[in-house]
Amino acid sequence: MARFDVNAARAQRMEAVGRSWSFDLDGDTFQLPTELTRVTAKALQQLDDNDVDGLLGLLMGAEQFERFTRHDITMQDIAGILEAYGKETGLGLGED
């Protein structure tokens, strides 16, 4: 039976989608990870389902999130970001 090489599989995924996914907002560029660590996934589980700021803060990190909060952004904008992010990365965030 062949052994599964986690590092090789990860490298293949990273080559296909990259380490991060980015979006632009009013001249600023923000990056979200294409894969989540176990620690991040566990922290996401602890969030209330409606904690959009908590979700974005975990994905962006403190520095990016602080910059993000300076923008006048609607919930519909955020839904669009999360939908596009999910389609590109296969991560279903903000969904029921």
Side-chain angles (χ1 to χ4, degrees):
M1 179 179 285
R3 292 177 63 172
F4 179 71
D5 186 334
V6 174
N7 293 328
R10 181 184 303 137
Q12 195 171 34
R13 288 190 313 269
M14 291 293 136
E15 186 174 322
V17 296
R19 280 196 148 320
S20 64
W21 178 84
S22 62
F23 67 93
D24 297 318
L25 173 63
D26 299 331
D28 270 337
T29 300
F30 299 91
Q31 295 186 339
L32 304 178
T34 55
E35 295 197 359
L36 301 178
T37 65
R38 283 182 41 254
V39 172
T40 300
K42 185 112 176 135
L44 288 171
Q45 288 178 337
Q46 303 304 315
L47 294 176
D48 181 88
D49 289 344
N50 297 313
D51 189 355
V52 175
D53 285 350
L55 170 66
L56 293 172
L58 280 171
L59 294 175
M60 290 182 179
E63 183 181 318
Q64 276 195 110
F65 183 68
E66 192 279 324
R67 200 166 34 94
F68 180 80
T69 61
R70 295 183 207 152
H71 293 275
D72 185 22
I73 189 163
T74 67
M75 293 304 293
Q76 290 79 3
D77 294 332
I78 292 170
I81 291 166
L82 294 177
E83 181 179 344
Y85 177 62
K87 284 181 182 176
E88 289 290 321
T89 64
L91 297 172
L93 300 172
E95 299 173 354
D96 292 325

